[in-house]
């Protein structure tokens, strides 16, 4: 793990994250103009960072947030489509991989169903290697149709990459899912706004540590007329320590080199903090001392996860009993979201 240079090597993957200024757009033409701006930035960044193998832009960087539902549906993209074609040309020209946001991607039943919030991982030939749809839209505000799975793909120089989006990262389950599938770098693209700056910085660092994984965060910056975005895009080592982090500046960039051999060696030889190994080899020292298996216990000891898989509806009822039975609350009602008062009159 290296920070401070502009290079990379056969062993290291040069990763850049961008504090892209949150755009406020309304039409397809405006979106495509913004896509060309991002494409130009990719090419320019490669000139300044010749070792850059992967460039990452935040959630909403392509479309901005369409606060008007009609505009959101009208500007929703297809994958592949006009937007991805422009990104592909930039990746080929710069000879770089990229992670780009599409908010939204048209649902298969468009326009009868809400669009997806989608990320793509594109290689340096302009080919889409991974398409991820946000599993945990930021309810109650975001109206995206939820995705249903994570992926791991072979990225630049063979580094194994997973994509997640913004609010996904507040749930430890998704980080573990990606890491246990073999991800060595988890990319978290977000359009996160105040007041949750400190919490978001903390959780990405903690999840890198807990999952022995590199993390790259690209966040929006600026004010779009509704929200103020705090930036702090960052590249984090698999030991939970930050290699490089931007401030709140619009279009700020950070860059670091991620060693493939180092993370693989750490996962192979690490002992007391090898969280992936220890999770499915619980208590092996005590079992060895008891004359039992040197491999510890593999079975899941957590009742919640067993119940959730076996009985999702019963688990939902259990959680509603300790939280609330409706999506919204009558003490802070949000238009279009049923609460205990409005639900009672349905």
């Amino acid at each position: 793990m290296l920070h401070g240079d502009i290079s990379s090597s056969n062993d290291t993957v040069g990763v850049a994250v961008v504090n892209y200024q949150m755009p406020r757009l309304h039409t397809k033409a405006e979106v495509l103009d913004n896509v060309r701006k991002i494409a130009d930035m990719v090419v320019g960044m490669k000139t300044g960072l010749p070792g850059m193998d992967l460039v990452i832009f935040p959630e909403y960087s392509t479309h901005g947030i369409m606060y008007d539902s009609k505009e959101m549906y009208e500007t929703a993209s297809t994958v592949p489509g006009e937007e991805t074609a422009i990104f592909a040309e930039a990746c080929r020209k710069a000879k770089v991989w990229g992670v780009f946001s599409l908010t939204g991607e048209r649902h298969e039943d468009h326009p009868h169903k809400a669009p997806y919030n989608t990320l793509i991982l594109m290689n340096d030939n302009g080919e889409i290697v991974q398409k991820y749809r946000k599993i945990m839209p930021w309810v109650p505000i975001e109206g995206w149709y939820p995705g249903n799975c994570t992926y791991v793909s072979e990225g630049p120089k063979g580094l194994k990459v997973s994509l997640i989006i913004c609010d996904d990262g507040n749930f430890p389950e998704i980080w573990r899912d990606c890491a246990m599938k073999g991800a060595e770098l988890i990319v978290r693209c977000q359009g996160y706004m105040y007041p949750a700056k400190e919490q978001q910085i903390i959780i990405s660092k903690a999840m890198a540590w807990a999952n022995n994984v590199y993390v790259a965060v690209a966040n929006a910056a600026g004010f779009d007329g509704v929200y103020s975005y705090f930036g702090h895009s960052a590249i984090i080592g698999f030991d939970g320590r930050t290699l490089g982090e931007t401030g709140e500046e619009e279009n700020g960039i950070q860059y670091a080199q991620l060693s493939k051999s180092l993370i693989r060696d750490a996962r192979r030889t690490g002992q007391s903090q090898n969280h992936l190994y220890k999770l499915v080899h619980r208590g092996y020292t005590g079992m060895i001392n008891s004359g039992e298996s040197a491999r510890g216990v593999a079975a899941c000891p957590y009742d919640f996860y067993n119940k959730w898989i076996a009985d999702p509806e019963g688990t939902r009822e259990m959680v509603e009993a300790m939280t609330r039975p409706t999506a919204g609350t009558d003490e802070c009602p949000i238009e279009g979201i049923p609460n205990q008062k409005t639900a009672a009159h349905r």
Side-chain angles (χ1 to χ4, degrees):
M1 300 179 287
L2 302 169
H3 178 260
D5 207 319
I6 59 174
S7 188
S8 65
S9 68
N10 291 337
D11 178 59
T12 61
V13 177
V15 177
V17 291
V18 181
N19 261 16
Y20 196 72
Q21 180 180 355
M22 179 66 82
R24 184 70 182 273
L25 310 172
H26 304 279
T27 67
K28 183 75 165 182
E30 291 176 343
V31 170
L32 292 176
D33 283 343
N34 185 54
V35 173
R36 295 182 189 99
K37 180 181 174 183
I38 294 171
D40 288 343
M41 192 170 185
V42 170
V43 175
M45 287 174 64
K46 180 65 173 183
T47 302
L49 298 168
M52 184 174 73
D53 298 300
L54 174 65
V55 59
I56 303 165
F57 287 84
E59 179 192 32
Y60 290 111
S61 54
T62 301
H63 290 78
I65 297 180
M66 301 283 178
Y67 294 101
D68 182 290
S69 179
K70 182 173 181 289
E71 293 177 351
M72 182 179 82
Y73 278 72
E74 288 177 348
T75 59
S77 305
T78 59
V79 179
E82 292 178 87
E83 296 85 355
T84 61
I86 297 170
F87 290 141
E89 177 59 29
C91 288
R92 287 191 294 267
K93 184 175 181 179
K95 297 182 174 58
V96 70
W97 291 57
V99 175
F100 305 105
S101 169
L102 295 166
T103 50
E105 179 204 357
R106 291 187 176 190
H107 192 280
E108 293 83 355
D109 196 16
H110 181 82
H112 305 294
K113 300 287 187 182
Y116 299 103
N117 182 334
T118 298
L119 288 179
I120 59 167
L121 171 65
M122 181 172 280
N123 68 19
D124 53 2
N125 292 317
E127 300 164 333
I128 296 171
V129 173
Q130 184 178 142
K131 181 176 77 170
Y132 167 73
R133 293 166 169 172
K134 190 174 188 178
I135 289 175
M136 300 295 297
W138 189 55
V139 295
I141 302 302
E142 286 188 334
W144 306 116
Y145 202 90
N148 61 9
C149 62
T150 63
Y151 304 90
V152 177
S153 304
E154 187 170 296
K157 297 177 178 174
L159 189 72
K160 296 175 182 177
V161 180
S162 285
L163 308 178
I164 68 173
I165 304 175
C166 202
D167 199 32
D168 283 335
N170 290 317
F171 298 85
E173 292 81 5
I174 196 167
W175 300 91
R176 187 74 81 195
D177 189 62
C178 293
M180 285 300 192
K181 286 179 176 178
E184 296 166 324
L185 168 63
I186 299 177
V187 173
R188 185 189 188 196
C189 297
Q190 56 190 53
Y192 235 117
M193 65 289 287
Y194 286 100
K197 182 182 86 169
E198 294 303 323
Q199 294 90 335
Q200 299 313 313
I201 293 171
I202 289 168
I203 197 163
S204 290
K205 289 165 66 72
M207 291 299 100
W209 166 250
N211 291 285
N212 308 124
V213 70
Y214 292 120
V215 171
V217 178
N219 192 35
F223 178 63
D224 69 352
V226 176
Y227 289 115
S228 177
Y229 303 89
F230 55 76
H232 283 268
S233 299
I235 303 168
I236 303 163
F238 58 81
D239 60 359
R241 293 185 292 180
T242 300
L243 297 171
E245 183 176 321
T246 66
E248 300 172 15
E249 69 277 11
E250 295 173 0
N251 297 326
I253 297 165
Q254 265 292 357
Y255 177 78
Q257 301 169 61
L258 306 183
S259 168
K260 295 178 295 179
S261 63
L262 191 61
I263 188 171
R264 293 167 188 175
D265 182 68
R267 286 181 172 183
R268 183 179 64 84
T269 64
Q271 298 196 56
S272 63
Q273 307 300 343
N274 195 329
H275 306 120
L276 303 184
Y277 182 87
K278 289 170 66 177
L279 187 63
V280 291
H281 298 81
R282 293 187 296 109
Y284 64 78
T285 304
M287 294 189 71
I288 291 169
N289 294 342
S290 301
E292 299 183 37
S293 172
R295 301 182 71 195
V297 179
C300 176
Y302 306 114
D303 291 344
F304 168 73
Y305 291 110
N306 290 321
K307 180 175 176 61
W308 192 7
I309 291 169
D311 183 13
E313 288 301 325
T315 305
R316 174 152 59 186
E317 291 174 4
M318 178 187 75
V319 174
E320 288 178 348
M322 69 176 85
T323 56
R324 63 176 186 271
T326 57
T329 69
D330 54 6
E331 295 179 38
C332 183
I334 295 174
E335 185 177 356
I337 306 297
N339 59 55
Q340 287 171 287
K341 284 186 177 180
T342 60
H345 293 88
R346 291 185 130 194

